[in-house]
Amino acid sequence: MRNIKMTVEYDGSRYKGFQRLKDNEMTIQGKIESVLSKMEEEDIEIIGSGRTDMGVHACGQVVNFKTNSQYSVEKMQKYLYEYLPEDIVVKSIEEVDDRFHSRYNVKSKVYLYKIDNNKFHKVFSRKYATHIEKKLDLNLMKEASEYLVGEHDFTSFASSKSKKKSNVREINSISIQENNDLIEIYIEGNGFLYNMVRIIVGALIEVGHKKKTPQDIKTMLEDKDRSKASDTAQAKGLCLYKVKY
Amino acid sequence: MRNIKMTVEYDGSRYKGFQRLKDNEMTIQGKIESVLSKMEEEDIEIIGSGRTDMGVHACGQVVNFKTNSQYSVEKMQKYLYEYLPEDIVVKSIEEVDDRFHSRYNVKSKVYLYKIDNNKFHKVFSRKYATHIEKKLDLNLMKEASEYLVGEHDFTSFASSKSKKKSNVREINSISIQENNDLIEIYIEGNGFLYNMVRIIVGALIEVGHKKKTPQDIKTMLEDKDRSKASDTAQAKGLCLYKVKY
């Protein structure tokens, strides 16, 4: 069978997340599989680099699937473009080595979190950025983010629903910048626990509002205590930006 | 009575245009007037700098209205923010001289037209940019745009529905640039005929696709013939960017 790798962009607003649920439930995986399965009347299952939650977007989700189809990849991409709804687009497609697995082979993932920190929300990014009226101190947030970079036990920054054996993960970098009147937080890491990015952003927001100090973030990490996790930042500000292999 | 001037941002996707229609029809003017009229139980009528058509957006529409309310402008802005739908936001508000009229006093208007010229449309700007798959030659479009700058009779670039006495208007500038993987066309002028911006963009697209030469645009202007107007570019790519007084 051929192994096909695709990079997919989607607006998660209407969906119950990436992962397939029961029939007819709106999921990204469900939509893509249903179109692919019709293409050649074979049952296609796609593997994502990971799940994205309800309401989370992606600029660069990566998936792969096995198929017996003899269609060229260009033809597959056109077919998907024609039959997928306009909020899911396959940006690139290629045939890859049989051993490529979009989840197991991930080297790192980059998430982008957008915050609209203006007094009144911006109309055109209202679905892709979280509006926070009260001014954030970016310098304090940058200082706090430095404690998170590196290999740490992120127990304090995971949802209690996370059931992984080890909570040790490595964050390669966090960059916080302003762009087009929005605050953009890029977080790159080799793996993320359930809700980890949104809880990190929630903690950085508390620092930006001076409810926590940057040093409190260090203490939170050391405490390894889920009950100390900050509020989970809203889904709509989050985007799976890039998956690296 | 006090005279209040506001700058309004709106996503036109859901609306039948700016201008108030019958009760319950979704219009920008209708929405704003209905909230303002409830604020102090007085009948408020707003005057826009001009209409925007069904599906057209605004980053900087300007309106003014007369009121007996003694609310501070900050309180009015907050009230509007609370009761308007999230796709209409008053960005700024101020009390102005009694003689200020948001339509009569316009010096110039800037429109922005966005084109997504990628093979497959970009998910996150799908409602705010017109997708054109076939590559456009920007240099030819820039050359053509130079013929349009200045004072001209724009009869060939107006909808036949336009009923103005004179079709002479002045375009101050047209700039065409790429930004974030979208083509942005800014057009500033002292006045625009019905559908004029979208017909100009339609003509520039024909030039970009080499169906017309830049010189053909000059000929079109000289012909002053409505039947020669190019196709009207889609509403969703257009945004009333700024109104200058």
Side-chain angles (χ1 to χ4, degrees), chain A residues 9 77 81 86 121 123, chain B residues 9 77 81 86 120-121 123:
Chain A
E9 183 171 72
Q77 189 177 19
Y81 189 65
E86 63 166 23
H121 72 258
V123 164
Chain B
E9 184 171 70
Q77 189 176 18
Y81 189 66
E86 63 166 21
F120 302 108
H121 73 259
V123 164

Side-chain angles (χ1 to χ4, degrees), chain A residues 57-202:
Chain A
H57 316 292
C59 303
Q61 168 70 292
V62 175
V63 305
N64 76 295
F65 63 93
K66 303 287 176 82
T67 178
N68 285 314
S69 169
Q70 288 312 308
Y71 279 19
S72 68
V73 288
E74 291 77 18
K75 195 168 171 186
M76 289 182 196
Q77 189 177 19
K78 273 197 181 166
Y79 186 90
L80 285 156
Y81 189 65
E82 192 172 345
Y83 292 104
L84 280 172
E86 63 166 23
D87 50 9
I88 306 177
V89 170
V90 175
K91 287 166 72 177
S92 65
I93 186 167
E94 59 180 316
E95 188 163 349
V96 288
D97 189 280
D98 189 52
R99 289 162 300 180
F100 176 81
H101 188 285
S102 57
R103 190 164 70 253
Y104 299 154
N105 297 158
V106 172
K107 281 224 178 77
S108 71
K109 279 184 187 174
V110 185
Y111 282 95
L112 167 58
Y113 198 94
K114 288 187 191 170
I115 297 173
D116 178 349
N117 198 203
N118 298 291
K119 188 167 184 195
F120 303 108
H121 72 258
K122 289 160 74 79
V123 164
F124 300 105
S125 48
R126 70 192 186 280
K127 292 184 174 173
Y128 312 121
T130 295
H131 180 238
I132 296 176
E133 184 184 335
K134 196 180 159 199
K135 274 290 161 204
L136 292 161
D137 185 321
L138 290 199
N139 288 327
L140 288 176
M141 291 167 73
K142 285 176 191 173
E143 198 185 324
S145 72
E146 285 167 20
Y147 292 113
L148 297 165
V149 174
E151 195 175 81
H152 302 285
D153 184 316
F154 283 97
T155 303
S156 298
F157 293 87
S159 159
S160 53
K161 287 182 201 157
S162 180
K163 299 266 188 288
K164 304 279 178 169
K165 283 176 204 157
S166 162
N167 290 327
V168 174
R169 295 290 182 278
E170 185 178 355
I171 290 188
N172 308 105
S173 65
I174 300 181
S175 98
I176 303 175
Q177 60 195 56
E178 281 187 278
N179 184 17
N180 272 324
D181 213 13
L182 295 175
I183 297 169
E184 295 184 339
I185 305 175
Y186 289 90
I187 303 183
E188 176 164 357
N190 70 353
F192 292 91
L193 302 166
Y194 188 58
N195 274 352
M196 183 171 142
V197 177
R198 287 163 61 190
I199 294 171
I200 285 177
V201 171

